[in-house]
Every structure is written in C-alpha cells, then in structure tokens.
Amino acid sequence: MEECSKNDSRIKWIDMLKGITILLVAFNHAVCAAYSDAISTHSSSILFDWFVHSSNSLLAVARMPAFFLAAGIVMAALKKNKLKWFLSKRMPLMIWLIIIWTLLSFLVERIGLHLYPWEPYPYLPQNSLFILPYGNLWFIYALLILSGIAAVVSYMSYLKQMIITIILALLILFSMQYGFLKNILFHNLCFIGLPFFMAGFIFKKQVTYIFKRSNRLMLWMVGLAVFVLLIHSLLFITYGSIRTSGFIRILILNIPVTFFFVGLVVYLMSYSDYINTTFINIGKNSLEIFLLHQFFVALFIHLYKLIGFDVNSVLGKIVLILFPIILCVVFVHYFKGILKPILFTVPKFGNNKVLVRLPRL
C-alpha cells in the first residue's frame, strides 16, 4: 500500500476494505473458538446463537474474496518493476513472516496455549513445520504464491494472464481431486485466492472505475444480491441444502455477494469521516492484526477456562468474541512501533557489520 500515491482516492476505500475484512476474519476465528468444545457449544439463547452463526456464514462468502481482490488491486497499482519488487521486497518479507510466526506459534502451542481451540491439540505435528502452513499462516503462503504469479505474468497481455490463471486453478483442482495438494492452502488458492486476487490484478482499472460510481452501483448491487439470495432460498427449499461448491459457487454466490459487499463499503465511506479514518487505520495494520489476533483469542479462551466465568450467557459469549479483537486492535495501534522492527520486518543483516581487526604480524 505504501507503494501507491497517498492522494489516490482508491487507496482510501481499499484500506477501509482491508480493515473491515480483517476484523471479519478475526470475528470468524473468535466465533469458532467461543463455540468450540474447549468452552461450550451453545449460549443460553437459541436466537443469539442462530444470529451469530448465520451472520458469520453469510460474511464468509465475501470477507476473504474481498481481501484478495484488494490485494490484487494494490499489486497492480505498483509503479515499480513488479518482478524486481517481488524478488527484493515481497518474497523476503513473506518468507521471514512464515519462519518467525511458525516458530512463535509452535512455541506457544508447546507452552500450553492452544491457538486453535476448535482443532485437536497440538494443532500441527512437529514434523510438518514449514511444509504445511501453520493455521492462519496459509494466507501468508497464499500471498507469496499469488504475488509471484502476478509478478511473472505482469509482462503478458490481459488475455494470456486470464488463460494462465484459469489453467493454474484447474491444475490445482485436478491435483486436489487426486489427493495431491489437498489442504486448506491450495483449496483457498483455487476457489478464493486465484480468482479474486488475479481479478483485482488484471482488471484493476475496470474494478476501480465501477466502484467510483458507488451511488448508481448500489442499486445494481442490491438488486443482484436479492436475486442471488432468492436463488439460494429456492435451492434450499428444493434440496434442503445449498448444493453449490467449487467454481459454480464462485459464479452464483461469491462474485455477486463480494461485489455487493465492496460496493457497500465504498458507498458507506461518504457518511462518516471518523468511521472511515478508524477502518482505514485498521486496514493499514491489517497484516499485524491478522498475525496477532489468534494469540489474543486463544489467550481469552484460556483465561475463561482458568477463571471459570459463565461463557454460556449471551453477555459472556459477546465478551469472549469481541473483546480479544478489540484488545488486539488497540495493542497493535500502540505497540506496532516496537513490534514491527522485530516481528514484521526482514532483518537487515548487511547493515549490522561487525568489524574484526586482525592483529598485525
């Protein structure tokens, strides 16, 4: 994001979009933890539980696609040589984040703080370190892979970029069906990362042009969203479940709902400067919040179990879900300056030269 002009209005809505989606990702993990077997599965209100799970399921359709769309637009906006930028900036940073946060996650789990309460403990066997993503780190792996693909195809025509994207998605799908690459990283790359990141990267001008016409766009998006919900309601009534998956789900659900979601974000930006500034600042710290929020969620689950608070009440569930997210955002805001040079920046070993004076003979 720093590579783009600060005066570009596109940056504001993209940062705001990143801020909102990263909070929704944290919300999803907090909900999973609050309703895991480690705590309990229900609150005292069936209506409250239904609202939490329904809203979280609906948001799941758009939160990660919208984040990848924004990430693709950001990379497309880079004025630098993209392959050189990838090799000198993005790749070293992503590799460093994978190493340091995998080790931190592994150590925290071994100390006894289970980062993913809805999964068996320990979450990942020791012999799988770095081979498979450790929990949330699949997103960092995905950004590394997608940025590399975009950097390589950036010299090609739009048509070739689209063809390569489709071929890669089909290759991943084929590999998963035959037992290869069958894990969360490649599943999300195939059905979320590649389609939406590359859509933002290839069609940056078209996408940003559409969302600049936010008032007119909202009418279309509302109509489209209502149409999609009606189709899915009919599917649910007919079959008892929504039997859409894979690329069909992307076409009839993820794309329209994601564009409606992004259009809504852009539309709401015109109503409150304070809210805009808040979410934009969160968006600028999205990487830090993404990597840190799971530690706060896990810590609160541990404290609830230790102290024995009533987590089956509605108030208890609300606190358990929202408070660790709020605390993480505040923590990042005030301590980013201390943490970033250590945990979010590639060490510059070349700048720390140690001078060794040899004795004269």
Side-chain angles (χ1 to χ4, degrees), residues 176-353:
M176 289 192 298
Q177 288 178 343
Y178 286 89
F180 303 102
L181 309 180
K182 197 171 184 179
N183 56 63
I184 186 172
L185 169 61
F186 290 99
H187 181 274
N188 287 334
L189 269 177
C190 184
F191 299 118
I192 300 176
L194 269 170
F196 288 95
F197 184 95
M198 295 306 293
F201 181 77
I202 298 171
F203 302 109
K204 168 187 169 289
K205 292 181 180 179
Q206 292 81 358
V207 171
T208 52
Y209 176 82
I210 289 172
F211 289 119
K212 281 182 177 179
R213 306 295 188 269
S214 58
N215 291 333
R216 187 181 302 175
L217 174 71
M218 280 306 299
L219 295 176
W220 287 97
M221 289 295 102
V222 169
L224 185 59
V226 171
F227 173 76
V228 169
L229 291 175
L230 285 174
I231 293 297
H232 280 264
S233 298
L234 290 174
L235 288 172
F236 187 82
I237 292 171
T238 304
Y239 297 106
S241 63
I242 300 174
R243 297 183 178 182
T244 57
S245 60
F247 296 119
I248 295 176
R249 178 183 176 87
I250 293 173
L251 290 173
I252 70 173
L253 186 61
N254 290 103
I255 290 177
V257 175
T258 298
F259 269 74
F260 169 73
F261 175 75
V262 177
L264 182 63
V265 170
V266 177
Y267 182 75
L268 293 176
M269 283 190 69
S270 61
Y271 283 91
S272 173
D273 290 337
Y274 177 77
I275 293 176
N276 292 348
T277 302
T278 300
F279 284 114
I280 287 170
N281 288 333
I282 292 173
K284 291 178 180 178
N285 297 326
S286 58
L287 180 64
E288 291 81 0
I289 294 171
F290 179 82
L291 289 170
L292 277 169
H293 78 269
Q294 196 60 51
F295 293 84
F296 284 86
V297 171
L299 180 61
F300 270 75
I301 293 291
H302 183 75
L303 290 176
Y304 260 69
K305 292 167 62 178
L306 189 66
I307 299 174
F309 286 153
D310 180 14
V311 295
N312 293 324
S313 66
V314 171
L315 180 60
K317 287 291 186 188
I318 291 174
V319 172
L320 190 60
I321 292 170
L322 296 183
F323 199 71
I325 300 173
I326 296 171
L327 189 61
C328 178
V329 172
V330 173
F331 180 83
V332 169
H333 176 75
Y334 285 103
F335 294 100
K336 179 183 175 182
I338 300 173
L339 297 174
K340 188 170 183 178
I342 304 172
L343 299 177
F344 302 98
T345 306
V346 181
K348 296 181 180 180
F349 298 107
N351 291 344
N352 301 322
K353 296 180 180 179

Side-chain angles (χ1 to χ4, degrees), residues 148-183:
I149 294 170
V152 171
V153 304
S154 62
Y155 302 96
M156 303 178 185
S157 66
Y158 289 163
L159 179 59
K160 289 181 179 178
Q161 290 179 17
M162 286 188 288
I163 292 173
I164 289 174
T165 300
I166 293 170
I167 291 174
L168 288 174
L170 291 175
L171 284 175
I172 295 173
L173 179 63
F174 178 82
S175 299
M176 289 192 298
Q177 288 178 343
Y178 286 89
F180 303 102
L181 309 180
K182 197 171 184 179
N183 56 63

